[in-house]
Amino acid sequence: MAKMTGEVVERYLPGRREQTGRTALLLWTVGPVFELPVAALAISSFPDVAAEAVFGTAGSQALVILALVLVLAGAALAWAGSFTTGPRLSLAVLLWVASGLLAVLMLGYLASGTWAVFAILLAHSAVAAAVIGWMLARRPAPAQPSRLAR
């Protein structure tokens, strides 16, 4: 069976490309929506978890909450898709920075050895934030011509 290119998908399954992108967006958004509040709650509630936080208790909480807000804003912006390139790329860069900072926080918990499960939650959230940023950066704005239609 021949591999379905973007033109073939759009020709025989109209609207299917957008549905697939939105499904992937939802799947990448669900993890951080549940994982990052748990991380913020654990950092604020358990002194052992707070003691291992790389950026300190307040800094780690602020980072996790800011990452959650950026993930939700990125998902909303990618879902709407009707914004110009500037806001989308700016938010994508912020998501990539937050993803890197979450990875640093994750490495701190992984290095401690006692909070490896907590590190896995942060690792998944870091990857998801980076992927949502990539989804924002790769989607052309409505006013821009797309190369797929040619």
Side-chain angles (χ1 to χ4, degrees):
M1 181 172 189
K3 184 176 181 181
M4 295 185 76
T5 63
E7 186 177 311
V8 172
V9 169
E10 199 58 40
R11 183 180 210 177
Y12 295 108
L13 301 169
R16 183 70 177 161
R17 175 189 306 265
E18 185 175 327
Q19 290 173 356
T20 304
R22 286 188 170 180
T23 302
L25 178 67
L26 285 176
L27 289 175
W28 281 109
T29 305
V30 166
V33 165
F34 290 109
E35 294 163 355
L36 292 175
V38 167
L41 184 64
I43 291 170
S44 66
S45 300
F46 301 113
D48 294 340
V49 176
E52 299 294 334
V54 174
F55 301 112
T57 303
S60 296
Q61 281 181 320
L63 169 65
V64 169
I65 291 170
L66 179 65
L68 176 63
V69 168
L70 287 173
V71 163
L72 291 174
L77 201 62
W79 186 276
S82 60
F83 288 88
T84 59
T85 305
R88 287 184 304 110
L89 289 180
S90 300
L91 190 55
V93 168
L94 288 174
L95 277 165
W96 293 330
V97 169
S99 175
L101 292 173
L102 283 174
V104 169
L105 185 63
M106 177 268 308
L107 287 173
Y109 284 113
L110 195 60
S112 74
T114 55
W115 298 105
V117 172
F118 196 66
I120 292 170
L121 291 177
L122 290 171
H124 180 260
S125 293
V127 170
V131 168
I132 292 171
W134 175 75
M135 287 178 165
L136 278 173
R138 75 177 175 92
R139 181 170 291 174
Q144 296 174 340
S146 175
R147 289 187 228 166
L148 296 175
R150 293 180 188 172

